[in-house]
Every structure is written in C-alpha cells, then in structure tokens.
Amino acid sequence: MSFLHEQLVGAGIPIELYSGFSVHNQRVQVLEVQNDSTLPESLHGSRILILDNSGNVHSMWRKHEHLTDSYWDLLACLPALVPKGPLALLGLGAGTIPRISAKYFPGVVYHGWELDPGVVMAARLHLGMDELEREGSLVCHTANALTIPKQGMKLPIFSGVVVDLFSNGVPIPALVQPSTWRSIKQLLSDSPSSARVMANLGEAPPPEYGDEWTEGAHNSMEMLKAMREVWDGEVSVLRFEDEAIAKNLIAVTGPMPSAEEMKSLVPAGLQQICLKRPWSDGMLLLALQEEEKIGWPVSKQ
C-alpha cells in the first residue's frame, strides 16, 4: 500500500507506538491510525508498519479484522491454488499475509523470512506476529530470503511460495534476474504443475494503450520476463488497485483454474478480492509494453 505515510503524518493523525533502530531499513516505525474521514476506511483503527521514506505501508494489523482491502488479501489466497502443505513467504514483514491465510485456511503453516530483526521485534510487540507463532501458523526466520539454500536449515518442501521483497519502496533488484527465480523455484515440491509461486512485482503498468508508463512499471515488466523464462511462459498476472491508490502487479505461476473452478477453491470470505478481477496471460502485458516503447513517452516519476 503506497503514498499514505506522508498524508498520515502531515495530518497529524497517527499515534506512534514504536520507533526502533535498523541497519537494513531507514526506520522501523509502528503507527496507530485513528478514524478520520479523509483517510480510506480500510485504515481506520489499524496499526501500520513503516520502513522507509517511500510512503509505502509495509504491513497492516487490525484487532478484529483480518482483511486489509489491499494486495495482501490477494497474496493470502495462494493456499486455494496449491496442494495442502507448508508455504514459504519471502518478505514476511509483520506477518500480514499469514494472518489472513490463517483465518480463511485453518491449519495452513507459513515459513516466513524477514531480514531485519528490528521488524520482527516490532511485529511481535505491536502487530500480532507473536500470536501467529504461538498458534503454529507461522515459523519466523530472521535471515536473507535469497540465501535459503546456504543457510543449512532443515526445511519442508513447500507447496507454494509467496514473494513480497521490497527495499526503499521498490522490489529488490535481484528479482529481475532469472537465476533468482530459479532459486525460488527450487523451494517448491516436485509437482511443478500444482506447486506455485505468487509474487508482488511492484508498480502495475497503466491499463490502456497510450497511458503514460513509469520507470517502476517497466521494472515490473523486467521481473515478469524473468519469471516467464523460468516457468516457460506460464505466468498469469493481475493488476490490483486499492482505495489508497496503490497499483500493484501480482503474478502467479502455473495454469490458472477457470472462473468456476476458482469459485469452488476460494473461501467465500476471500472471493470478493480473489475473483473481482480476471487474471490474464503475462504475455499480453509485455506486448502492450512493446507498443508503448514505440509510440509513447515514459515518465520518470
């Protein structure tokens, strides 16, 4: 969720619950948002995690509500698309995705990787991650998510992997490399047709030809190309836009079920978010990008 921190602080709305030192992020800050008519309703009464000056909200927690009305809800739908089994989450943050999944997929277990010990501390103190760990819904690894094979840990074979790796408001540069996605693919079970990766690729491109593309949207396309190379072109995408003006491109590997099949797989409470928009072949977006390069300028904003 993007562009909110400056708005919140400028209005003097949030209460600071935590502020800590970090060697990996510009800040580790937990804010509690008060009800205010100038803000999206999905933020009312929430606690949010801020890690940099980008304006991005990196995690969200509300005491009596699991859904966030943001892309985390969509990423939490992955258990519906993969066989039963443990899931890996690369880019745990404060545990927003496991918390949603635990509500709608009882018994699901995530192994989550978070690089920053300061984030883990703040999440356990103020964002409900300690509860997920006590319940057995989450196993937290404080380590680099991209060096898992070198960490020497005995891990399960995962039926799915969620990738949500950001730094300073943008996806980490390693995600444009096919070799990164090959390493991630190695975490999956030996059934490539059913085990999947679902990833947040950052800023989504504009929906129509002729609209201005930003540098961030082009970067998302480079990540999509890398994924398509590793999964032989079998990557579907969805442009997710929430009420806080965040536009994220979500990608998932493997053949997508039909709309009717999806309806039977996704729990009722998540259908509004998971079935609201159709998934499309990633190749269609890449073709749109090629047309844009020929005839339209690119914004650097």
Side-chain angles (χ1 to χ4, degrees):
M1 187 177 292
S2 305
F3 315 122
L4 287 168
H5 179 244
E6 189 173 320
Q7 179 185 357
L8 289 169
V9 173
I13 295 167
I15 298 171
E16 184 177 80
L17 300 179
Y18 180 91
S19 182
F21 172 77
S22 172
V23 298
H24 299 289
N25 294 288
Q26 294 171 346
R27 69 181 82 176
V28 177
Q29 187 178 35
V30 178
L31 303 176
E32 186 167 82
V33 182
Q34 307 304 298
N35 295 353
D36 188 276
S37 60
T38 65
L39 296 172
E41 190 173 339
S42 60
L43 284 176
H44 292 182
S46 66
R47 295 180 180 182
I48 58 175
L49 175 68
I50 304 295
L51 299 179
D52 53 47
N53 298 321
S54 67
N56 285 5
V57 174
H58 292 81
S59 286
M60 179 191 293
W61 178 89
R62 285 186 288 178
K63 186 173 183 179
H64 300 297
E65 179 60 64
H66 291 77
L67 295 179
T68 64
D69 293 329
S70 192
Y71 73 88
W72 296 301
D73 300 345
L74 186 58
L75 293 178
C77 292
L78 182 60
L81 301 176
V82 298
K84 286 187 178 180
L87 303 172
L89 171 53
L90 313 186
L92 171 62
T96 302
I97 294 167
R99 185 169 185 261
I100 300 166
S101 289
K103 165 70 174 178
Y104 293 98
F105 303 95
V108 69
V109 177
Y110 279 85
H111 284 249
W113 275 263
E114 171 53 51
L115 179 63
D116 194 337
V119 169
V120 174
M121 179 182 293
R124 287 171 173 162
L125 288 173
H126 297 288
L127 294 160
M129 198 166 81
D130 58 331
E131 182 179 350
L132 293 172
E133 293 176 291
R134 287 197 305 269
E135 293 173 348
S137 301
L138 172 65
V139 179
C140 177
H141 304 281
T142 309
N144 187 338
L146 297 185
T147 62
I148 294 173
K150 300 177 183 178
Q151 291 169 17
M153 292 181 289
K154 187 175 181 180
L155 296 170
I157 300 298
F158 298 108
S159 62
V161 179
V162 177
V163 180
D164 192 23
L165 291 169
F166 279 67
S167 178
N168 294 322
V170 296
I172 62 171
L175 295 179
V176 302
Q177 302 296 331
S179 59
T180 299
W181 295 103
R182 290 191 188 97
S183 295
I184 292 172
K185 190 176 183 180
Q186 291 175 1
L187 300 175
L188 294 172
S189 69
D190 295 329
S191 304
S193 61
S194 55
R196 300 175 186 267
V197 169
M198 184 179 280
N200 176 13
L201 301 185
E203 184 178 349
E208 297 180 3
Y209 177 70
D211 291 343
E212 197 170 46
W213 281 57
T214 65
E215 190 172 8
H218 280 293
N219 191 53
S220 297
M221 293 297 95
E222 293 305 307
M223 288 180 277
L224 176 58
K225 288 176 185 176
M227 290 186 72
R228 282 177 53 82
E229 180 176 324
V230 174
W231 275 274
D232 298 323
E234 206 164 56
V235 180
S236 300
V237 293
L238 187 148
R239 185 180 187 275
F240 188 92
E241 183 171 347
D242 64 34
E243 64 174 322
I245 326 176
K247 303 176 181 66
N248 293 82
L249 184 67
I250 308 299
V252 64
T253 65
M256 286 301 292
S258 68
E260 283 302 311
E261 290 171 326
M262 285 283 282
K263 192 174 293 187
S264 67
L265 293 170
V266 177
L270 286 175
Q271 287 188 4
Q272 182 178 1
I273 196 83
C274 294
L275 305 179
K276 185 176 180 179
R277 305 165 182 84
W279 292 85
S280 61
D281 190 326
M283 188 62 196
L284 299 176
L285 268 185
L286 292 171
L288 182 65
Q289 182 193 32
E290 287 304 310
E291 292 182 7
E292 185 277 339
K293 285 181 178 177
I294 295 171
W296 298 93
V298 181
S299 168
K300 296 293 183 181
Q301 296 179 356

